[in-house]
Amino acid sequence: IYNSDVSMIRLRSQLHKLCKDGIPFNLRGKLWQINSGSAIKLEHNHGIYYELLADNKDKYSTATEELERDLDRSLPEHPFYQTEEGIRSLRRVLTAYSWYNPDIGYCQSMNIICAFLLLFMSEEEAFWLLATILENFLPDYYTPS
């Protein structure tokens, strides 16, 4: 991985060693995106995150009401989430996801996953990784009920 571009780690043993020894902090976000497939989703859907925010600006739903209650409980000891900037970023990603996948909307604990992702990547990258985690790795875990 170099120059913020998505690159392949060709030797599986190198990736295994990186994971075993601990992925360097500055590479975690990129490696998570590459290994999960969210980097490809982002590449094929670039800009959709911002369209979701713009198209649904000032709209409210049950999901947006529920996520508002959890924002202050999202990694509250971390300095980033003690700022308005951090809370606003978290709100935007979770709100966009609730409009992107209205069948799920927002469920408790999505805020913790999202808050963690935002420490390592941009909002749009976090949005697509959150979507990948929820839809590909935990497809039956989050339900509206």
Side-chain angles (χ1 to χ4, degrees):
I1 297 178
Y2 57 92
N3 296 334
S4 298
D5 293 329
V6 175
S7 303
M8 296 292 291
I9 295 180
R10 294 178 188 240
L11 300 175
R12 191 175 193 152
S13 62
Q14 285 179 324
L15 179 59
H16 179 67
K17 182 174 175 10
L18 264 178
C19 292
K20 183 179 173 189
D21 294 344
I23 298 171
F25 193 81
N26 63 328
L27 297 179
R28 289 179 185 178
K30 284 293 180 199
L31 282 173
W32 293 339
Q33 291 172 69
I34 292 166
N35 288 324
S36 69
S38 72
I40 293 167
K41 279 188 180 182
L42 170 59
E43 186 177 316
H44 290 141
N45 297 288
H46 190 70
I48 288 179
Y49 167 72
Y50 298 106
E51 288 175 22
L52 285 164
L53 291 175
D55 292 348
N56 295 290
K57 186 179 180 182
D58 299 326
K59 289 185 183 176
Y60 296 95
S61 68
T62 303
T64 58
E65 290 174 19
E66 289 174 2
L67 73 87
E68 283 297 324
R69 290 192 292 262
D70 285 343
L71 290 174
D72 290 329
R73 297 181 230 173
S74 308
L75 303 182
E77 301 302 316
H78 195 282
F80 184 59
Y81 297 107
Q82 294 175 359
T83 68
E84 278 303 310
E85 176 189 355
I87 296 296
R88 281 194 304 265
S89 290
L90 184 58
R91 178 183 291 116
R92 284 189 294 266
V93 175
L94 292 171
T95 299
Y97 186 77
S98 76
W99 294 113
Y100 173 73
N101 189 342
D103 291 337
I104 295 176
Y106 172 79
C107 297
Q108 229 174 7
S109 83
M110 284 182 184
N111 59 316
I112 303 301
I113 296 170
C114 187
F116 188 73
L117 297 177
L118 284 168
L119 298 176
F120 295 93
M121 59 194 71
S122 72
E123 288 181 25
E124 186 175 30
E125 292 167 335
F127 171 82
W128 288 110
L129 184 49
L130 179 68
T132 300
I133 291 169
L134 300 181
E135 296 163 13
N136 295 62
F137 296 103
L138 302 170
D140 299 321
Y141 187 79
Y142 289 97
T143 60
S145 56

